[in-house]
Amino acid sequence: MTILVTGGAGYIGSHAAVELLNNGYDIVLLDNLSNSQIESINRIKELTGKDFPFYPIDLLNRGELETLFAKYDFKAVMHFAGLKAVGESVEIPLNYYHNNITGTINLCEVMAKYEVKKLVFSSSATVYGNPERVPIDESFPLSATNPYGRTKLMIEEILRDLYVSDSTWRIALLRYFNPIGAHESGRIGENPNGIPNNLMPYISQVAIGKREMLSVFGNDYETHDGTGVRDFIHVVDLVRGHLKALQYLENNEGIETFNLGTGTGYSVLDLINTFQSVTSQKIPYQFVERRAGDIGICFANPEKADKVLGWKAEKNLEEMCRDTWNWQRNNPNGYETSNDILLHEI
Ligand code: NAD
Ligand code: WQD
């Protein structure tokens, strides 16, 4: 069974590719490499001992997408491709709307044309906006506070409309909480461009000596230690949830939404302290003002995924820190290659 993985060279897509290959799926991987490096493809092959075709295609290029769908008999699509930096989305909103929304519409149009109607979509807990309470379940009201979040919300709505128009679609909307960690081999991991926006990559770059000090954004939230609380989830647990969702779509019709989180909130200071104790690396930090747009507490009620998909997160915060550090110290400068050499041409 061949699965198309869009955005498969990126952080989460590369881990999903490994999990799919290790579970007997064939994959075709597509990525325009706008936020990833081709070396991740080589690492996926090395880790799994399996070969697969990679296409450096942009979802905005509908003609190339059609050629790809004409060539392969895809059974389903895991759709990770998208731009994801919240701050950047405020600066260049049109790029975000165009890339994420038009890209997804192109993909769905081509899927419909080739009768490939099973889709696993990367949504985000950002669609809950500033939740009234925690834990957050799937029925909570939806809102978004920035253009990136609005692309996720709009895509969810587009996919719901698509299902209403044609009930032969089978769609899983997976709302990720805060994915961190890396494959335990340390061969693939998160490889941010420039200064990391997110907490865990920033901590690990301080640990490796690339950044001097972490700024902790706010210590006056209503949390146990005043710093923000999040539902950190190991990326390998997260991608296992995708395989469960894929199996679900094989057996069930409809469009369903699932939170992918652990159900436990840890604070910024909890994460720093755990990282320090697991890795024996010192993380100097200072408290600074809250970051605009941040919320105090966010964690999931993950019961629906447990009941319906038979999935729950298994890895703890120590394992998330250990695996992040293993990736970072073995790859201090990430994948360190250029994208000049492209492997397969369509
Ligand atoms: P990533 O940037 O590492 O991976 C996304 C990949 O998509 C990149 O390799 C990029 O080159 C590719 N891409 C972007 N636009 C494309 C296009 N038009 N055509 C082809 N390829 C394109 O990000 P990630 O962390 O792996 O996130 C994967 C998905 O999960 C994204 O949709 C993201 O919004 C979503 N998500 C991520 C997080 C997170 O914290 N990492 C949380 C919630 C949701
Ligand atoms: C976590 C906590 C910060 C950096 C973002 C997106 C969300 C989703 C996941 C895609 C917060 C604090 C951070 C730093 C800090 N992505 N922090 N110093 O904001 O929960 O979610 O990524 O869908 O849409 O908004 O994650 O890792 O940026 O922040 O103190 O240098 O760490 O204030 O409390 P966030 P994050």
Side-chain angles (χ1 to χ4, degrees), residues 205-221:
Q205 290 198 5
V206 171
I208 201 76
K210 285 181 90 172
R211 316 260 159 221
E212 247 173 56
M213 180 169 319
L214 172 73
S215 293
V216 175
F217 300 141
N219 61 351
D220 57 352
Y221 286 107

Side-chain angles (χ1 to χ4, degrees), residues 106-127:
N106 276 348
L107 175 67
C108 291
E109 283 178 347
V110 177
M111 287 174 71
K113 182 169 170 184
Y114 288 86
E115 290 289 331
V116 181
K117 293 188 179 171
K118 293 192 190 87
L119 177 66
V120 179
F121 173 63
S122 303
S123 188
S124 167
T126 194
V127 300

Side-chain angles (χ1 to χ4, degrees), residues 268-307:
V268 174
L269 287 182
D270 291 335
L271 187 63
I272 296 171
N273 290 333
T274 306
F275 191 94
Q276 292 189 136
S277 77
V278 168
T279 66
S280 305
Q281 302 300 307
K282 179 117 191 71
I283 308 298
Y285 66 86
Q286 58 180 345
F287 292 118
V288 300
E289 290 295 294
R290 292 181 178 193
R291 183 170 65 179
D294 269 359
I295 57 177
I297 306 189
C298 174
F299 61 90
N301 175 340
E303 275 169 27
K304 184 178 172 190
D306 188 3
K307 275 198 199 113

Side-chain angles (χ1 to χ4, degrees), residues 83 86-101 146-148 150-151:
L83 298 173
V86 171
E88 185 183 63
S89 80
V90 176
E91 285 157 28
I92 49 169
L94 299 183
N95 294 33
Y96 271 67
Y97 288 120
H98 188 49
N99 189 75
N100 292 3
I101 296 177
N146 57 69
Y148 164 72
R150 272 186 279 281
T151 70

Side-chain angles (χ1 to χ4, degrees), residues 7 9-13 30-36 57-59 80-82 84 99 122-124 148 152 176-177 179:
Y11 171 44
I12 301 169
L30 170 165
D31 200 300
N32 69 358
L33 302 174
S34 59
N35 195 40
S36 49
I57 289 177
D58 196 310
L59 288 180
F80 298 96
K84 64 162 183 177
N99 189 75
S122 303
S123 188
S124 167
Y148 164 72
K152 292 294 177 194
Y176 310 164
F177 280 68

Side-chain angles (χ1 to χ4, degrees), residues 3-305:
I3 310 297
L4 174 65
V5 182
T6 78
Y11 171 44
I12 301 169
S14 58
H15 287 81
V18 168
E19 198 65 19
L20 283 164
L21 290 165
N22 283 343
N23 282 276
Y25 291 92
D26 292 322
I27 62 168
V28 170
L29 208 144
L30 170 165
D31 200 300
N32 69 358
L33 302 174
S34 59
N35 195 40
S36 49
Q37 289 188 289
I38 200 157
E39 175 60 13
S40 67
I41 315 280
N42 300 331
R43 302 274 179 100
I44 297 166
K45 292 182 179 176
E46 166 208 301
L47 275 178
T48 59
K50 295 193 175 144
D51 202 6
F52 56 85
F54 166 65
Y55 292 92
I57 289 177
D58 196 310
L59 288 180
L60 298 175
N61 188 332
R62 183 159 165 167
E64 288 191 351
L65 261 187
E66 292 219 18
T67 313
L68 193 65
F69 275 77
K71 184 165 175 173
Y72 295 95
D73 180 20
F74 296 127
K75 288 289 172 278
V77 177
M78 279 195 190
H79 176 31
F80 298 96
L83 298 173
K84 64 162 183 177
V86 171
E88 185 183 63
S89 80
V90 176
E91 285 157 28
I92 49 169
L94 299 183
N95 294 33
Y96 271 67
Y97 288 120
H98 188 49
N99 189 75
N100 292 3
I101 296 177
T102 311
T104 303
I105 292 173
N106 276 348
L107 175 67
C108 291
E109 283 178 347
V110 177
M111 287 174 71
K113 182 169 170 184
Y114 288 86
E115 290 289 331
V116 181
K117 293 188 179 171
K118 293 192 190 87
L119 177 66
V120 179
F121 173 63
S122 303
S123 188
S124 167
T126 194
V127 300
Y128 296 115
N130 194 348
E132 272 173 23
R133 56 181 198 283
V134 281
I136 302 166
D137 70 49
E138 290 83 355
S139 69
F140 271 39
L142 304 180
S143 70
T145 52
N146 57 69
Y148 164 72
R150 272 186 279 281
T151 70
K152 292 294 177 194
L153 205 47
M154 287 178 193
I155 293 168
E156 284 201 2
E157 285 170 359
I158 289 167
L159 295 175
R160 277 187 210 102
D161 287 340
L162 180 61
Y163 176 72
V164 169
S165 75
D166 174 357
S167 62
T168 63
W169 278 87
R170 296 173 179 213
I171 301 172
L173 307 172
L174 304 184
R175 294 181 180 152
Y176 310 164
F177 280 68
N178 287 61
I180 60 173
H183 190 269
E184 64 177 7
S185 64
R187 296 296 287 161
I188 56 172
E190 190 168 10
N191 185 35
N193 271 328
I195 301 171
N197 300 306
N198 296 114
L199 179 61
M200 188 52 139
Y202 206 106
I203 291 177
S204 65
Q205 290 198 5
V206 171
I208 201 76
K210 285 181 90 172
R211 316 260 159 221
E212 247 173 56
M213 180 169 319
L214 172 73
S215 293
V216 175
F217 300 141
N219 61 351
D220 57 352
Y221 286 107
E222 283 183 30
T223 61
H224 62 275
D225 59 20
T227 65
V229 164
R230 294 292 183 274
D231 188 334
F232 299 103
I233 174 167
H234 197 295
V235 65
V236 171
D237 275 335
L238 185 86
V239 298
R240 288 184 178 150
H242 290 63
L243 268 76
K244 292 287 191 183
L246 191 60
Q247 286 158 13
Y248 175 83
L249 296 185
E250 279 157 23
N251 301 316
N252 297 276
E253 293 174 353
I255 178 162
E256 283 293 341
T257 308
F258 299 99
N259 283 342
L260 296 186
T262 64
T264 305
Y266 288 104
S267 72
V268 174
L269 287 182
D270 291 335
L271 187 63
I272 296 171
N273 290 333
T274 306
F275 191 94
Q276 292 189 136
S277 77
V278 168
T279 66
S280 305
Q281 302 300 307
K282 179 117 191 71
I283 308 298
Y285 66 86
Q286 58 180 345
F287 292 118
V288 300
E289 290 295 294
R290 292 181 178 193
R291 183 170 65 179
D294 269 359
I295 57 177
I297 306 189
C298 174
F299 61 90
N301 175 340
E303 275 169 27
K304 184 178 172 190

